[in-house]
Each structure stands twice: as C-alpha cells, then as structure tokens.
C-alpha cells in the first residue's frame, strides 16, 4: 500500500469518528433535518451493497457472473464506502479466507491472542475490529491473492483512482445537501456531515463487526475449523453478511442466509435474485440442502461464548 493510500485509510478511520461525535453534539442544536437522514440512508444502502455484493460476493468469491458494466458499477459503489481500494480489499479478504483464525489472518481476534485472559481477549477484539487497519490492511500480496483483478485494466483503474472516489463519496452528499436546501451553506455542511462522514462511520463499524463479533460470539451449526459465527442482530444492518458462519462454510455461495428465516434477513441475496430475474447476473452459486446436510454439525445451533 502506498503512503498516500495508507494516509487515506488512516483519515477514513479518524475523521468519521470525529464527525460522528460532532454530529451528536450538533444534533441538539437542530443541525439535522429529515433530508440529511434520507441522504445518510440512501448512500448507506448504495455503498453498503457496493461492499457486500460488489467487493465481497461478486469480486472476492465470484458467486455469480455479470457484465463489465455491472461489475464496474458495484466496484465504484464499494470504493465509495471508503474501506480501501477494490484490489486491496479483495486481496485482504481472500487472505483472511486462506488463513482464517490462524497465523496470517489479517484480522482474526484469535490468532496471536490465545491464552491472554481478559486482556488478550480485548486485545484480540480490538485488533479484529479496527486495530488491523493500522498494521495489516493492504499487506496481502495482490499478485497472489487478486491476480484476476490486477490483470483487469478496468479494475486497476478504479483501484488506482480510489482517492478520487473518496472525494466523490464526500462531495456528492455535500452537493445534494446544498441543492436540496435551496443553496444553503448549512445544508451543504449537514449533507457532508450526515450523508458523508456519519454514514461512512456507521458502515465502517458494521463491516468491522463482522471481523470481530462474528468470529467471537454467535451461533454455529456446521462442521468448520475456524471460529466464525452467525449473529442475527447484525444481519440486516450488514445486508446479510452477519450470517458469517454460513459464509465460511460455503464461501462461494451468493446467499449467506441459508435457513428459511435467515434468507429473510439477507438483503444482498434478495437483490442478487432480483438482478438475476432481470438478466443482469447469471450462474449464481447456491448451496443445495444436500450439501448443507453434509456439513451439518448439529440439528440445533449451539451458542458460542
């Protein structure tokens, strides 16, 4: 990772946190309108799907095939989530799957923190949630873990222009806030604050919770060697990513919610189904009940502490 990218990532962690604190303070002084919350919600959904469908299920695991236009669109939306460039993100995540909860996993709460008691547990959770960004992010060998993207000229262009997409991610809500408020500078500032920084902050922490919480507490029902778990209360805000134990059992599956009630809380899979019916995606990977039964460890999910 270049120095500029490292500084961009560092700023992407610190500035939204500061802005979130500022936003809470300003909220009591009426520095939030319903239009600001609409901007936050719409951009949260768009950039969130950019991560879950684009960066993760489409590009990292190739859970379905699609056209270059759809692929590039989701790559741009994922970049606007400000979680790193597309090639960097995919490289790190594929490395995570190659070394899950073992030495070499960039963001496991377990690897390197075993036997440490309460202190070791807290250190592991902090590392998995946010600490790894300062020490491990961008460390995966791109030529090894994302060769297909490195050789894709369009993806290289999107990845190399990540810093401009960060500016777009912040400039768009600023401009929309300005226009919606009738040209008010206050509307521009609140648009940037809520539709930009606060939205990035919230999506960051939901995504990071998959790394930390979903490898520490939750339920498991399949026979896998890692510590991945399903956490139902994170399913909707993470657009289905919190069915993380299911995902680690069947990484190529486009649907992370496998049980009937889990599918109701997997919005990413629902959107993939809609795109499939519209002819925008095809060859969608799904897991049959028979394959699930082969991996079944127990009839009833068991809590993990």
């Amino acid at each position: 990772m270049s120095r500029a990218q490292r500084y961009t990532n560092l700023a992407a962690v610190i500035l939204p946190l500061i802005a979130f604190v500022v936003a809470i303070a300003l909220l009591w002084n009426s520095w939030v309108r319903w239009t600001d919350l609409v901007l936050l919600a719409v951009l949260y959904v768009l950039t969130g799907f950019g991560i879950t469908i684009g960066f993760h299920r489409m590009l990292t695991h190739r859970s379905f095939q699609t056209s270059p236009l759809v692929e590039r669109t989701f790559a741009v939306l994922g970049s606007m989530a400000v979680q790193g460039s597309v090639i960097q993100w995919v490289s790190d995540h594929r490395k995570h799957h190659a070394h899950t909860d073992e030495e070499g996993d960039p963001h496991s709460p377990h690897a390197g923190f075993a036997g440490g008691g309460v202190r070791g547990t807290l250190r592991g959770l902090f590392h998995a949630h946010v600490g790894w960004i300062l020490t491990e992010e961008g460390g995966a060998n791109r030529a090894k873990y994302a060769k297909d993207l490195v050789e894709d000229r369009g993806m290289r262009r999107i990845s190399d222009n990540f810093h401009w997409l960060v500016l777009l991610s912040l400039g768009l809500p600023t401009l929309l806030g300005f226009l919606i408020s009738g040209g008010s500078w206050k509307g521009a500032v609140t648009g940037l604050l809520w539709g930009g920084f606060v939205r990035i902050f919230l999506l960051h922490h939901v995504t990071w919770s998959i790394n930390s919480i979903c490898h520490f507490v939750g339920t498991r029902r399949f026979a896998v060697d890692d510590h991945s778990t399903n956490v139902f209360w994170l399913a909707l805000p993470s657009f289905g990513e919190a069915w993380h134990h299911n995902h680690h059992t069947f990484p190529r599956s486009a649907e992370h919610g496998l049980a009937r009630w889990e599918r109701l809380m997997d919005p990413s899979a629902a959107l993939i189904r809609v795109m499939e019916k519209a002819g925008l995606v095809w060859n969608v990977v799904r897991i049959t009940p028979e394959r699930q039964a082969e991996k079944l460890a127990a009839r009833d999910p068991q809590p993990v502490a």
Side-chain angles (χ1 to χ4, degrees):
M1 189 163 50
S2 69
R3 180 177 296 181
Q5 288 176 320
R6 187 172 295 278
Y7 286 157
T8 299
N9 285 347
L10 185 60
V13 175
I14 296 173
L15 291 179
L17 173 61
I18 295 172
F20 183 68
V21 174
V22 171
I24 292 175
L26 292 178
L27 175 62
W28 304 112
N29 294 316
S30 301
W31 273 66
V32 59
R33 301 163 302 158
W34 70 268
T35 52
D36 298 319
L37 299 181
V38 169
L39 280 177
L40 187 159
V42 170
L43 289 173
Y44 182 95
V45 170
L46 289 175
T47 58
F49 279 138
I51 291 292
T52 64
I53 294 178
F55 278 22
H56 194 200
R57 306 188 194 197
M58 179 179 70
L59 294 174
T60 300
H61 297 289
R62 299 299 185 183
S63 297
F64 57 86
Q65 292 180 288
T66 187
S67 66
L69 177 61
V70 172
E71 202 171 69
R72 306 295 189 264
T73 299
F74 274 99
V76 167
L77 289 173
S79 300
M80 290 175 64
V82 197
Q83 297 183 14
S85 68
V86 57
I87 295 180
Q88 169 206 310
W89 199 101
V90 170
S91 299
D92 286 339
H93 194 72
R94 286 179 179 173
K95 185 179 181 182
H96 163 64
H97 275 270
H99 305 280
T100 307
D101 290 325
E102 300 174 349
E103 183 178 353
D105 186 337
H107 48 63
S108 170
H110 302 281
F113 302 98
V118 174
R119 183 176 180 182
T121 297
L122 293 176
R123 285 178 59 236
L125 285 171
F126 177 80
H127 171 79
H129 194 77
V130 68
W132 76 280
I133 293 172
L134 307 178
T135 59
E136 303 292 335
E137 188 178 30
N141 187 321
R142 300 182 182 197
K144 177 180 180 180
Y145 290 104
K147 183 180 179 181
D148 54 330
L149 300 186
V150 171
E151 295 177 348
D152 185 322
R153 185 177 179 181
M155 283 298 162
R156 282 203 316 273
R157 184 175 300 170
I158 293 171
S159 191
D160 291 342
N161 287 282
F162 171 63
H163 56 293
W164 294 114
L165 294 173
V166 171
L167 291 178
L168 176 62
S169 183
L170 297 173
L172 183 60
T174 304
L175 177 61
L176 291 174
F178 179 78
L179 295 175
I180 292 171
S181 64
S184 163
W185 69 267
K186 184 176 180 180
V189 170
T190 57
L192 171 64
L193 185 63
W194 295 95
F197 287 123
V198 173
R199 179 257 309 174
I200 292 170
F201 171 84
L202 293 175
L203 188 55
H204 272 178
H205 284 278
V206 168
T207 302
W208 297 339
S209 293
I210 306 302
N211 300 339
S212 56
I213 295 172
C214 292
H215 277 266
F216 200 78
V217 296
T219 59
R220 295 163 56 87
R221 70 172 180 272
F222 294 109
V224 291
D225 294 331
D226 57 49
H227 296 274
S228 58
T229 63
N230 292 328
V231 180
F232 78 93
W233 51 268
L234 267 175
L236 286 179
S238 68
F239 302 117
E241 297 293 282
W243 304 121
H244 198 57
H245 174 64
N246 297 348
H247 168 58
H248 270 268
T249 307
F250 304 104
R252 287 205 64 214
S253 177
E255 299 180 344
H256 292 186
L258 298 179
R260 181 177 299 178
W261 74 276
E262 292 172 349
R263 287 196 291 271
L264 297 175
M265 301 172 70
D266 188 353
S268 297
L271 182 54
I272 291 171
R273 287 194 294 272
V274 170
M275 292 193 296
E276 184 180 26
K277 290 180 179 179
L280 295 174
V281 304
W282 53 89
N283 292 337
V284 179
V285 178
R286 294 187 174 90
I287 308 302
T288 65
E290 291 76 18
R291 283 190 62 197
Q292 293 181 44
E294 291 175 2
K295 282 281 190 178
L296 199 61
R299 290 286 179 183
D300 299 314
Q302 299 299 313
V304 176

